Amino acid sequence: MSDNKNTTPASNDVKLGRRQLLAGGLATGGIAAATTIAAAASDPLITEVQDWNRYLGDGVDASPYGKPSEYEKDTVRRNVAWLTADTQSSINFTPLHKLDGIITPNGVCFERHHGGVAVIDPADHRLMINGLVDNPIVFTMDDIMRFPRENRTYFLECAANSGMEWRGSQLNGCQFTHGMVHNCMYTGVPLKYILAEAGIKTAGKWLLAEGADASAMSRSIPLDKALDDCMVAFKMNGESLRPEQGYPLRLVVPGWEGNMWIKWLRRLEIGDKAWYQREETSKYTDLMENGIARSFTWAMDVKSVITNPSPQAPITHGKGRTVLTGLAWSGHGKISRVDVTIDGGRNWKTARLDGPSFSRSLHRFYYDFDWDGSELFVQSRAIDDQGNVQPTKDQLRAARGVSSIYHNNGIQTWQINPDGSAENVEIS
Ligand code: MTE
Ligand code: CO
């Protein structure tokens, strides 16, 4: 008797708890209608024992490195065939619409090469420091590995990301409009430790970073930036850099345009002025309406994009509860707020930021809403902790004209159709 008395209130509590949970769920809009147990009685996936349940699975040796599920074969880098004449001096794009969180898995980080992927045995790799230094020096990879290391998460965005959209909406998918960005945790050595070993002469004001690939990519970087937060990285997301990301050594230039992040880094020269290399004169300068090019636009400005729904990721579940999500980033600091509109800018709501917030890293935002099945025009607008606000494309064009291809951080619009499909459009 007494046992029963004791258990009855407890089981009531459990029931009450479940009811409260359900009520809580409904109060926030409810979860999209799932199948009831009764309806599932006719579903063979519920009533029958499936093969994966009946037979033993693969053994531990099936995939020594590991690879994604065969059902994820669409989560891949893609290129745009007409964009470049060959595949060595080419670009492919991160499948942003297939990812979540803030880290870009190594296998899908976009690639940009000007002379193909250099394949270098780390035992054959050297990093030379010369120019205005007391002690010109050459490091092996073993030498580099003896400096104190740091771990930092940063986005890398190519200056030409969204470059094809300057004159109007063109490419149908955030992979193509915004996929020249990736976000990794780098392990490496602060550049200041390595340069201190060589001893910078007082006349030194600039640093030239040079790659060992066929393009010998080289860029001038002000010494203040180099000594502030640049790194020489050998790991990305915990494992060695991929060959396409500059194995065995790349320069990390937080917040600044991707072109400066020299891959296969082989030489650092200290000088008293910029070198004005090809990639900082005829390329990676912003041509203004008056025909004069703006030089050295280093920082990547505040930007965001809705990754789902988007043209490659339509809404497939019909009306009701819908998760809208996207990415925001700024080369000037952290993201402090992202606003979202689903009606083309008439009403803006503050999105929910989730996940770690690092300076000059991607940030993940969500806006959960009830879709009534009507046409939508979705946009996101990011604001960083320095007060920078992402501009509209029209505001950008008013300031910069349409002759540039670089540094397009304008607000992106996706039109969502009643059938859930999405298109790249512009509204003004
Ligand atoms: N470094 C070398 N040595 N060669 C290159 O072609 N491309 C640059 C930069 N560093 C390049 C390079 C450009 S334009 C960009 S956007 C980034 O590397 C791309 O880095 P990722 O391939 O890791 O995405
Ligand atoms: Co680039």
Side-chain angles (χ1 to χ4, degrees), residues 176-342:
F176 306 114
T177 55
H178 290 75
M180 273 196 262
V181 67
H182 52 62
N183 201 58
C184 300
M185 178 176 279
Y186 295 95
T187 307
V189 180
L191 202 50
K192 57 175 179 256
Y193 298 161
I194 289 181
L195 294 176
E197 205 74 5
I200 300 168
K201 291 190 187 293
T202 44
K205 294 284 175 288
W206 287 81
L207 173 116
L208 183 79
E210 182 185 77
D213 57 326
S215 78
M217 174 66 63
S218 30
R219 286 289 307 252
S220 307
I221 300 170
L223 203 52
D224 286 349
K225 173 71 175 174
L227 296 175
D228 178 23
D229 55 8
C230 290
M231 289 167 82
V232 168
F234 40 83
K235 303 269 194 221
M236 57 193 285
N237 296 331
E239 65 176 0
S240 293
L241 294 174
R242 293 289 171 95
E244 52 271 40
Q245 261 71 45
Y247 181 84
L249 200 61
R250 101 172 290 168
L251 190 64
V252 169
V253 191
W256 286 19
E257 61 184 15
N259 186 257
M260 306 175 86
W261 294 50
I262 302 299
K263 302 191 274 191
W264 310 289
L265 182 69
R266 75 159 172 211
R267 195 168 70 89
L268 297 167
E269 182 177 341
I270 304 292
D272 56 0
K273 48 187 170 314
W275 281 259
Y276 295 101
Q277 296 282 339
R278 174 180 182 271
E279 307 294 329
E280 50 200 16
T281 50
S282 90
K283 299 283 184 289
Y284 300 98
T285 49
D286 302 328
L287 190 57
M288 307 295 276
E289 256 338 61
N290 62 6
I292 294 177
R294 188 171 82 168
S295 68
F296 296 142
T297 308
W298 290 313
M300 299 309 294
D301 287 331
V302 62
K303 188 166 175 177
S304 69
V305 65
I306 292 171
T307 55
N308 310 75
S310 64
Q312 297 161 287
I315 302 177
T316 53
H317 55 57
K319 291 190 220 184
R321 192 98 288 228
T322 301
V323 175
L324 179 153
T325 184
L327 293 164
W329 61 97
S330 168
H332 303 286
K334 293 183 179 184
I335 293 297
S336 52
R337 202 178 91 203
V338 177
D339 299 327
V340 164
T341 177
I342 60 171

Side-chain angles (χ1 to χ4, degrees), residues 14 43 78 124 127 130 173 190 208 212 230 251 256 284 294 299 346 362 379 423 427:
V14 172
D43 180 359
R78 289 188 183 82
D124 296 339
L127 176 64
N130 69 332
L208 183 79
C230 290
L251 190 64
W256 286 19
Y284 300 98
R294 188 171 82 168
R346 275 196 285 277
L362 295 188
Q379 301 177 326
E423 292 163 56
I427 46 175

Side-chain angles (χ1 to χ4, degrees), residues 12-190:
N12 275 347
D13 283 353
V14 172
K15 275 185 196 143
L16 194 70
R18 285 197 54 202
R19 244 182 261 129
Q20 278 169 339
L21 253 177
L22 278 173
L26 289 172
T28 58
I31 303 301
T35 312
T36 62
I37 295 279
S42 60
D43 180 359
L45 286 167
I46 289 291
T47 58
E48 307 290 324
V49 176
Q50 304 297 317
D51 282 357
W52 52 85
N53 192 197
R54 191 189 305 270
Y55 304 110
L56 285 175
D58 289 341
V60 288
D61 292 335
S63 183
Y65 180 77
K67 52 185 190 299
S69 159
E70 62 183 282
Y71 302 104
E72 292 298 324
K73 58 181 185 309
D74 287 342
T75 307
V76 288
R77 303 186 275 222
R78 289 188 183 82
N79 57 20
V80 173
W82 51 262
L83 212 54
T84 49
D86 55 73
T87 56
Q88 279 86 28
S89 173
S90 196
I91 307 161
N92 60 25
F93 300 86
T94 308
L96 298 178
H97 61 294
K98 289 284 186 181
L99 307 177
D100 216 315
I102 65 163
I103 293 294
T104 315
N106 290 342
V108 292
C109 285
F110 87 94
E111 303 166 63
R112 173 70 178 112
H113 319 300
H114 294 70
V117 178
V119 177
I120 304 177
D121 181 339
D124 296 339
H125 193 66
R126 300 289 181 271
L127 176 64
M128 177 190 290
I129 321 259
N130 69 332
L132 296 176
V133 292
D134 299 327
N135 176 29
I137 196 166
V138 174
F139 295 111
T140 64
M141 285 304 292
D142 273 350
D143 299 330
I144 301 285
M145 305 306 271
R146 298 173 70 181
F147 284 93
R149 296 171 203 178
E150 290 183 356
N151 294 287
R152 296 283 182 276
T153 303
Y154 296 118
F155 75 80
L156 180 167
E157 185 183 16
C158 179
N161 199 20
S162 315
M164 287 81 79
E165 305 290 306
W166 263 108
R167 289 160 195 261
S169 56
Q170 181 165 217
L171 296 171
N172 232 8
C174 65
Q175 179 165 20
F176 306 114
T177 55
H178 290 75
M180 273 196 262
V181 67
H182 52 62
N183 201 58
C184 300
M185 178 176 279
Y186 295 95
T187 307
V189 180

